[in-house]
Amino acid sequence: MTRPGPDRTTALVTTKAALREARAALPGTVALVPTMGALHDGHLALVARAREVADHVILSDFVNPLQFGPGEDYEAYPRDLDADLAAVDGLVDLVLAPSAEEMYPVLPPTVSVSAGRAGTLLEGAARPGHFDGVVTVVTKLLTLAAPDVAVFGRKDAQQLAILTRLVADLDLPVRIEPVEIQREPSGLARSSRNTYLSDAGRDRALVLSRTITAAREAAPSVGAVLGTLDDALASDEAEWAYALAVDPATLDPITPEHRGEALVVLAARVEGTRLLDAAVVSLTAP
Ligand code: PAF
């Protein structure tokens, strides 16, 4: 990836009041890049796109407690604000890094946003309430930062689909800008959780990106794509949660009669870490 050179002064804000004040002082258009920190090249690709589509960039760096279930890795989730600030220094205008208390004076909040049925499927089936937590924090971030554009990666394909619905269904005045999945040279989709994997785990995790490549090559045949996913599920390289082709709008599994775009979504555990990968495929043949 070609990284843009630093060209602006980056300020850190930790309160909602300071964000509103700093945001009001930004002339022109603003792009928001919501993150939970532990920034890697995947996030820098989001920042690079944000810089292309807006005059100013706000990056939020907040591990959102509301999207973690009991027993999940909220406490263990990697946090290193100094490293994050160094990674985006001079590339973004503002970094918002509030405390959980600042974001949620009442936790859980009395009123929250629901991701609806789409939030109960796929990742939502394994992580009840996760997407309600995501749409609630993203709604708050959009309200606070008032961006013209919000930038999200395609790796969290279900999240992107739900946030696209959030903006459309609630008439939020922002445009969602998707960015392609960033991959390590091995093909592994970049993720903050990759830091949990050993070298052997990283090798085993490649079954996900191999499956994505196979599904892409099998398109435009619906039957061939579905066959590829069945083959992946039969392999024991990962502990599969699902390997599905779904309707991009409803997230329901497609049938062999489906024609048009489909979302290939994969989730598997490797060394106890849940990994995701995804691709959009165009299906025009049986
Ligand atoms: O994708 C993420 O990192 C998070 O789900 C998000 C969108 C920043 C909300 O906390």
Side-chain angles (χ1 to χ4, degrees):
M1 198 193 104
T2 313
R3 295 188 195 197
D7 60 4
R8 58 193 80 192
T9 306
T10 301
L12 171 66
V13 291
T14 58
T15 65
K16 295 187 260 192
L19 172 64
R20 284 188 197 276
E21 196 180 325
R23 163 66 181 98
L26 293 176
T29 55
V30 170
L32 174 68
V33 181
T35 81
M36 296 206 300
L39 302 181
H40 49 67
D41 275 1
H43 296 109
L44 294 182
L46 303 183
V47 168
R49 177 63 63 81
R51 290 166 54 97
E52 282 166 15
V53 297
D55 301 322
H56 297 283
V57 179
I58 301 176
L59 179 132
S60 63
D61 186 321
F62 176 63
V63 184
N64 172 34
L66 218 55
Q67 67 189 77
F68 290 79
E72 290 188 355
D73 57 347
Y74 174 64
E75 301 297 343
Y77 197 85
R79 291 169 174 84
D80 189 343
L81 181 58
D82 288 342
D84 290 346
L85 289 172
V88 295
D89 189 36
L91 300 179
V92 306
D93 298 85
L94 294 176
V95 173
L96 168 69
S99 65
E101 296 72 28
E102 174 69 12
M103 279 300 271
Y104 299 111
V106 178
L107 186 66
T110 315
V111 174
S112 58
V113 186
S114 165
R117 179 171 174 275
T120 65
L121 306 172
L122 304 171
E123 286 308 283
R127 307 182 67 189
H130 168 71
F131 288 110
D132 295 342
V134 171
V135 292
T136 298
V137 79
V138 170
T139 304
K140 283 166 72 75
L141 291 168
L142 293 174
T143 306
L144 291 164
D148 301 278
V149 185
V151 183
F152 296 93
R154 286 196 188 274
K155 182 174 73 66
D156 296 315
Q158 184 176 10
Q159 170 172 284
L160 178 63
I162 289 172
L163 292 174
T164 302
R165 289 314 318 165
L166 170 78
V167 165
D169 291 352
L170 300 189
D171 296 315
L172 301 182
V174 65
R175 181 170 65 77
I176 299 276
E177 177 77 19
V179 174
E180 285 312 316
I181 296 176
Q182 303 299 305
R183 298 185 180 277
E184 298 185 0
S186 64
L188 182 65
R190 292 194 189 276
S191 162
S192 302
R193 290 195 169 101
N194 291 353
T195 58
Y196 299 153
L197 297 174
S198 70
D199 287 348
R202 280 173 178 267
D203 282 347
R204 288 182 51 208
L206 294 182
V207 67
L208 281 93
S209 51
R210 275 203 307 274
T211 303
I212 290 295
T213 303
R216 281 190 195 282
E217 286 171 2
S221 160
V222 184
V225 168
L226 295 178
T228 302
L229 299 175
D230 286 344
D231 290 348
L233 288 171
S235 87
D236 58 3
E237 282 166 288
E239 197 185 315
W240 289 100
Y242 53 79
L244 290 170
V246 300
D247 183 291
T250 64
L251 302 179
D252 286 319
I254 61 163
T255 64
E257 288 69 46
H258 182 92
R259 297 292 180 272
E261 280 200 342
L263 202 50
V264 173
V265 282
L266 310 180
R269 270 186 196 284
V270 175
E271 295 180 333
T273 295
R274 193 172 175 102
L275 300 173
L276 304 180
D277 210 330
V280 178
V281 289
S282 177
L283 302 176
T284 55

